[in-house]
Amino acid sequence: MRSLRSLEVWKLGVVNYLDALKLQEKLVLERKSHRICDTLLSLQHPPTYTVGKRQTVHNLLIPQSELEQIGAELHYTQRGGDITFHGPHQAILYPIISLRDTGLGARRFVEKIELTMIELAGIYGVKACPGQRCETGVWVGERKIGAIGVRISNGITSHGLAFNIDPDLKYFRHIVPCGIADKEVTSLRKETGFDLPTEEIIQEELISCFARIFGYDNLIWKEGASILSGKNETE
């Protein structure tokens, strides 16, 4: 009889990007040493632009000195992918999981991340699909609805996906999203045209899609930003 596969889900609310990055780094070390099980962080960020390890900051279309005027920050990361935007009303999942334990390679892992967002969009009647060659993320026609940027270190994943529920799309005008020019960015709200349930419900649906696609049977829920402060106190 197959044993249950457990996933610890942390619902963190709105978290500053650097705090979330620090938490991911800590959890990756703990997962490598088998001190924790596979863990999924569910959160949102204040307005933040992030650049991947290729450091393609040239795809930021406004001077960095003007970011404060639009209420946004810029951070450099070690994830894959190009520049992207994170902000309110965007569902973000950061999986800290062992690919060795799941039996997945890097390509298949990314494909399952894509399927997670495609399945969520389908719940609301939106037909999404993976990008074409050299187009990362998930798309609705020529419009991008979900971004992917992951890091894999010694078989442990971090960073992850960002799915647009109803973010302020004006922020995307200041970048070449994911380095792909002449493409629009869209959202679930824009594609459906009707009132959506609460973002908490949509984020929980996204978590459920992730768990089903990755084959987790047992979800262990932890809730509240107090998790973040509690973990930092033990460092």
Side-chain angles (χ1 to χ4, degrees):
M1 182 176 178
R2 186 176 69 88
S3 60
L4 292 178
R5 293 188 59 224
S6 295
L7 179 69
E8 197 165 280
V9 181
W10 294 19
K11 296 171 64 179
L12 297 174
V14 179
V15 181
N16 176 275
Y17 187 82
L18 289 181
D19 288 339
L21 184 61
K22 183 179 178 182
L23 178 60
Q24 288 181 79
E25 291 169 349
K26 184 176 188 297
L27 293 175
V28 165
L29 292 175
E30 292 181 349
R31 188 67 187 91
K32 284 179 183 177
S33 61
H34 306 286
R35 285 184 284 162
I36 62 172
C37 66
D38 285 349
T39 301
L40 183 67
L41 307 184
S42 173
L43 61 141
Q44 296 190 15
H45 289 307
T48 307
Y49 295 105
T50 66
V51 177
K53 59 187 176 183
R54 288 184 291 161
Q55 297 196 1
T56 51
V57 73
H58 58 273
N59 285 324
L60 178 67
L61 302 179
I62 62 171
Q64 293 186 38
S65 58
E66 294 182 14
L67 290 176
E68 186 175 350
Q69 299 174 24
I70 63 171
E73 298 179 349
L74 173 67
H75 295 293
Y76 294 82
T77 77
Q78 291 300 307
R79 63 164 173 78
D82 210 296
I83 192 168
T84 194
F85 171 75
H86 297 308
H89 315 299
Q90 185 185 65
I92 294 172
L93 295 184
Y94 292 146
I96 314 296
I97 68 175
S98 170
L99 293 186
R100 292 170 183 166
D101 288 356
T102 60
L104 296 174
R107 180 63 249 172
R108 187 58 182 150
F109 170 69
V110 171
E111 288 172 351
K112 283 179 174 283
I113 292 286
E114 292 171 340
L115 287 172
T116 297
M117 293 190 280
I118 290 169
E119 186 171 300
L120 177 67
I123 292 172
Y124 294 92
V126 176
K127 184 174 176 54
C129 62
Q132 301 299 313
R133 184 177 176 83
C134 299
E135 294 180 350
T136 60
V138 169
W139 299 72
V140 180
E142 295 291 302
R143 303 173 299 282
K144 190 166 190 174
I145 196 169
I148 298 173
V150 301
R151 185 183 186 197
I152 302 171
S153 175
N154 298 117
I156 308 299
T157 68
S158 58
H159 299 274
L161 69 85
F163 183 87
N164 296 332
I165 300 174
D166 189 21
D168 185 347
L169 297 178
K170 292 196 296 292
Y171 281 101
F172 289 95
R173 299 175 187 170
H174 302 303
I175 60 174
V176 181
C178 300
I180 303 171
D182 303 320
K183 299 285 187 178
E184 290 183 39
V185 175
T186 191
S187 67
L188 190 62
R189 175 71 178 85
K190 186 174 180 181
E191 292 299 324
T192 58
F194 55 73
D195 290 337
L196 297 169
T198 66
E199 290 182 5
E200 182 177 4
I201 289 174
I202 296 174
Q203 287 192 272
E204 288 183 357
E205 289 173 334
L206 183 62
I207 292 165
S208 295
C209 292
F210 178 93
R212 182 165 51 255
I213 287 169
F214 279 86
Y216 292 101
D217 315 280
N218 180 38
L219 300 189
I220 305 163
W221 297 86
K222 293 194 173 182
E223 195 159 352
S226 59
I227 302 170
L228 184 63
S229 59
K231 276 285 177 179
N232 286 342
E233 287 170 3
T234 65
E235 293 181 357

